[in-house]
Amino acid sequence: MSITQTAGAPPRAPRRPPSLRNLRTAAADPYPLYRTLREHFPLVYDEPFGAWLVSRHDDVRAALTDPRLAPVPSPADGRTPDHREALASALWGPALRALTAAVDRSAFVLARRLAGRESADLVAEFCDWLPTATALAALGIPYEETARVHRWCRAGLDHRGRHPELDAFLRPLVARRRAHPGGDLLSALCTAGDGGRPLSDEAVTHIAGTLLGAAGGTTARALASFLGNLLEHPRQVDVIRARPELAAGAWAESLRRDPPVHVVLRWATAPFGAVPAGATVACLLGAAGRDRARFADPDRYDAFRPDPAPLAYGFQPHGCSGALLAGLTAERGLRALLTTLPGLRRAPGAWAAPEGRFHRSPPALPVRLR
Ligand code: HEM
């Protein structure tokens, strides 16, 4: 069924569509609910949730790229200037070299800390730290500040999309870089321009805050799912150990099967099929990645699947600006673990199921290291 039609219930459809509100009770396993939606209610208004739900792969893709569906304005929009373009060019530009070196350095520091131990929890001791440590290293902020900044980042953004303590911490650093620029990303941002004008202190602080705060949690979650998926398949790990160039595909496959963000919201600026103008649309990335009409055996993790085509980052112009950095973090992080910890494997016993309704990942990854 195309997205421009309303849902007609095929035979044996449940009489009422399930609601995303039910995800509260289905949080341990949302996939049966997603399947019911895909098979019987591919485009349906979810009254308790207050949004139209789109769940099939091709429909979610179409919704994410349709100009009639715009990102839902956040409370911060209009109150803080929009520096998305400057952030995107900072992450793609010459500073990418600094970021790549920072990922490598941080990943090896974290992995070496585990070397010599019997066991560890990769979520608490690796995945949660690597994105923050990487961003700090790239910005040229001393490693000793990682714990403090990590705490602020985990506390989340305020209603203006800012971290007051993080801003206060960054401001003097920005002033210092303006006076004595170096080779780090913070110096690059201080000398970068936005439409011909140099970025203001406010803009540089905001971009650095986004890099540290808004992005860290998502990458940490995705990294946890990625390592979890791989360690469940030790033979696939052996292949990637011998052929590291296959890690990018393995990462894409994990983003397909277990995206860290399960729901992206849009609002209709004009009628969109059955969706009236002004309505909210929930694009179910978690459901789209398991669509058997698009992927053979979609629940299976296969690091070498030929075309995992994840929707996990959305698409430009609204999609994620940090996709490249996130991929680098995953690939270099994996390489550091496999190189430093040759005995790395899943600890015996059952692993805790992934948690979270809209943001989802395993809460812990107990592993043996020797
Ligand atoms: C695996 C890791 C990540 C995933 C899966 C992810 C996913 C997403 C998704 C689904 C969106 C919304 C897209 C949309 O509305 O269509 C988004 C937006 C965004 N992401 Fe990420 N993200 C990740 C890491 C990062 C990183 C490392 C950064 C780095 C700075 C970042 C920066 C942003 C920004 C600035 C936006 C807003 C874009 C806009 O509204 O134009 N993300 N991301």
Side-chain angles (χ1 to χ4, degrees):
M1 170 176 290
S2 123
I3 199 163
T4 49
Q5 294 170 270
T6 37
R12 295 191 9 246
R15 273 207 285 168
R16 287 159 61 84
S19 167
L20 270 204
R21 291 225 160 190
N22 299 347
L23 277 185
R24 255 188 220 130
T25 46
D29 182 8
Y31 294 101
L33 184 150
Y34 288 160
R35 185 172 179 174
T36 304
L37 286 170
R38 270 193 323 262
E39 290 183 1
H40 301 293
F41 306 99
L43 177 65
V44 68
Y45 185 64
D46 178 348
E47 202 165 328
F49 187 64
W52 288 76
L53 308 183
V54 183
S55 47
R56 290 183 177 172
H57 179 278
D58 292 356
D59 291 348
V60 170
R61 193 177 202 293
L64 287 172
T65 48
D66 196 292
R68 289 168 293 177
L69 297 180
V72 173
S74 83
D77 285 353
R79 294 194 221 187
T80 50
D82 183 350
H83 301 301
R84 274 172 289 198
E85 253 180 55
L87 173 65
S89 50
L91 294 174
W92 279 92
L96 191 60
R97 259 199 314 278
L99 278 169
T100 310
V103 176
D104 274 337
R105 214 163 45 240
S106 310
F108 275 96
V109 166
L110 289 168
R112 279 194 206 109
R113 276 213 210 142
L114 302 178
R117 299 245 311 262
E118 288 288 333
S119 59
D121 170 9
L122 284 186
V123 170
E125 298 179 73
F126 191 80
C127 305
D128 264 2
W129 291 92
L130 183 57
T132 310
T134 294
L136 281 172
L139 291 165
I141 298 171
Y143 185 79
E144 301 76 63
E145 301 289 0
T146 310
R148 197 149 68 116
V149 175
H150 187 262
R151 213 172 36 247
W152 295 329
C153 294
R154 284 296 174 274
L157 306 168
D158 71 8
H159 63 285
R160 293 173 307 126
R162 308 298 298 259
H163 312 73
E165 285 173 295
L166 185 56
D167 285 359
F169 169 77
L170 289 171
R171 244 172 269 128
L173 296 176
V174 170
R176 241 175 283 155
R177 293 303 195 287
R178 289 226 191 266
H180 307 286
D184 54 67
L185 182 60
L186 199 55
S187 302
L189 289 172
C190 287
T191 49
D194 200 358
R197 279 174 304 138
L199 291 174
S200 64
D201 285 4
E202 166 93 0
V204 173
T205 311
H206 189 235
I207 293 171
T210 305
L211 188 60
L212 285 163
T218 316
T219 310
R221 284 178 185 286
L223 185 59
S225 297
F226 176 48
L227 296 177
N229 276 326
L230 276 176
L231 292 173
E232 292 277 14
H233 298 86
R235 286 211 194 103
Q236 299 186 17
V237 176
D238 289 343
V239 175
I240 292 173
R241 208 189 283 277
R243 295 187 54 198
E245 73 277 11
L246 297 176
W251 167 244
E253 165 70 348
S254 187
L255 291 175
R256 171 197 71 79
R257 186 182 185 273
D258 297 293
V261 180
H262 267 224
V263 182
V264 167
L265 296 178
R266 289 282 187 266
W267 72 282
T269 56
F272 175 72
V275 177
T280 304
V281 175
C283 303
L284 306 187
L285 303 183
R290 305 280 187 115
D291 187 345
R292 58 194 64 236
R294 174 67 179 76
F295 303 106
D297 200 359
D299 295 334
R300 193 166 57 94
Y301 177 77
D302 174 3
F304 315 118
R305 189 182 288 273
D307 178 21
L311 305 178
Y313 297 117
F315 295 94
Q316 293 310 330
H318 308 299
C320 178
S321 335
L324 189 70
L325 174 59
L328 262 180
T329 308
E331 289 169 44
R332 305 292 176 127
L334 177 67
R335 198 181 62 166
L337 287 174
L338 295 183
T339 313
T340 315
L341 306 166
L344 177 67
R345 65 199 182 283
R346 186 188 188 296
W351 269 356
E355 286 177 357
R357 291 182 296 155
F358 299 133
H359 294 103
R360 197 170 168 78
S361 61
L365 291 176
V367 291
R368 286 281 162 80
L369 303 173
R370 288 205 279 185

